[in-house]
Amino acid sequence: AQTVTQSQPEMSVQEAETVTLSCTYDTSESDYYLFWYKQPPSRQMILVIRQEAYKQQNATENRFSVNFQKAAKSFSLKISDSQLGDAAMYFCAYRSANSGYALNFGKGTSLLVTP
Amino acid sequence: GAGVSQSPSNKVTEKGKDVELRCDPISGHTALYWYRQRLGQGLEFLIYFQGNSAPDKSGLPSDRFSAERTGESVSTLTIQRTQQEDSAVYLCASSRRTGTGDYEQYFGPGTRLTVT
């Protein structure tokens, strides 16, 4: 089974600064998808960004970008120009492209944004 | 359009009672998923429905857990003889096939279950 590890239980960043959240995963598959989800106190899981493993180019969505290192099995999320509304739990998730449709989640990183 | 909705938002029940949790997926979404999120943890997959195919029940933790879905509509997750370890947030998600062939999952707000 694939495992997803988020080694930072909590992170803090000042407004307008940049922060990077770490994620590593373990898999023997070559074809898969990786995701970052945001979960604010409302509990609603919101997709932030996704990456297909076959794509070498790192995904970018406005202020959010990833550093996908396939050989190292690393998938970090960079948030630029942090805003107070970015404060939330962030979950890294893995999904196989070939077997099953369930998302495998890490335990999450709580991001605090200070003024 | 409306997103995924779940009811109730919160449920408190006594140990040993049965509970039913409801999920209304986004209209037109053929796939539906249930996940469980224990306090301070990530989400654990429970069960997956795709259209009229047999569901993938591989994540259900015990035979006290069951789920139903009629066609591509509402789903109910039932927990019988609840235990304190069942206390968690239960999240539902739905998806449709995207152009790349990937199922992007949209989540509901969850039901917080507390077993006393």
Side-chain angles (χ1 to χ4, degrees):
Chain A
Q2 296 82 14
T3 57
V4 178
T5 302
Q6 294 179 250
S7 59
Q8 305 154 318
E10 294 182 352
M11 291 286 283
S12 182
V13 63
Q14 275 194 319
E15 214 175 349
E17 297 296 309
T18 296
V19 65
T20 298
L21 307 184
S22 300
C23 173
T24 58
Y25 57 95
D26 183 24
T27 185
S28 59
E29 298 179 326
S30 59
D31 197 11
Y32 50 87
Y33 302 93
L34 295 166
F35 306 84
W36 279 98
Y37 278 88
K38 171 184 177 180
Q39 187 180 42
S42 67
R43 298 197 306 245
Q44 188 86 43
M45 295 286 282
I46 302 164
L47 179 63
V48 174
I49 199 165
R50 55 177 275 173
Q51 174 82 40
E52 291 89 346
Y54 65 84
K55 290 186 177 178
Q56 292 188 341
Q57 187 173 7
N58 289 324
T60 299
E61 287 287 342
N62 301 314
R63 298 181 296 106
F64 299 87
S65 62
V66 299
N67 183 4
F68 172 48
Q69 300 291 327
K70 191 171 184 180
K73 297 179 184 175
S74 171
F75 182 61
S76 61
L77 174 70
K78 185 170 82 171
I79 306 174
S80 304
D81 186 26
S82 297
Q83 301 175 359
L84 293 177
D86 295 334
M89 284 291 292
Y90 285 81
F91 292 94
C92 178
Y94 170 105
R95 189 178 82 71
S96 170
N98 300 314
S99 58
Y101 301 95
L103 291 164
N104 292 315
F105 285 86
K107 291 188 176 182
T109 295
S110 177
L111 179 65
L112 174 67
V113 182
T114 57
Chain B
V4 178
S5 60
Q6 292 186 246
S7 61
S9 178
N10 291 283
K11 175 73 177 177
V12 180
T13 190
E14 291 181 353
K15 178 181 173 180
K17 301 281 190 182
D18 297 352
V19 295
E20 262 191 14
L21 312 180
R22 177 186 169 108
C23 172
D24 282 87
I26 294 172
S27 177
H29 280 193
T30 58
L32 187 147
Y33 316 75
W34 283 98
Y35 293 87
R36 177 173 69 179
Q37 185 178 25
R38 287 177 161 148
L39 185 65
Q41 302 294 314
L43 281 67
E44 305 168 76
F45 166 73
L46 295 178
I47 189 169
Y48 160 71
F49 296 90
Q50 171 55 49
N52 293 317
S53 303
D56 176 358
K57 304 180 181 180
S58 60
L60 293 178
S62 77
D63 59 7
R64 295 186 297 105
F65 288 72
S66 63
E68 290 184 352
R69 186 185 189 199
T70 304
E72 297 179 0
S73 62
V74 170
S75 175
T76 55
L77 176 69
T78 302
I79 308 173
Q80 296 179 310
R81 305 182 302 281
T82 52
Q83 303 295 314
Q84 287 186 330
E85 64 260 28
D86 299 334
S87 295
V89 175
Y90 290 83
L91 289 149
C92 174
S94 70
S95 70
R96 59 175 173 79
R97 184 180 290 275
T98 67
T100 63
D102 179 34
Y103 289 76
E104 184 167 326
Q105 298 181 25
Y106 296 83
F107 284 82
T111 294
R112 181 180 299 280
L113 175 66
T114 303
V115 182
T116 61

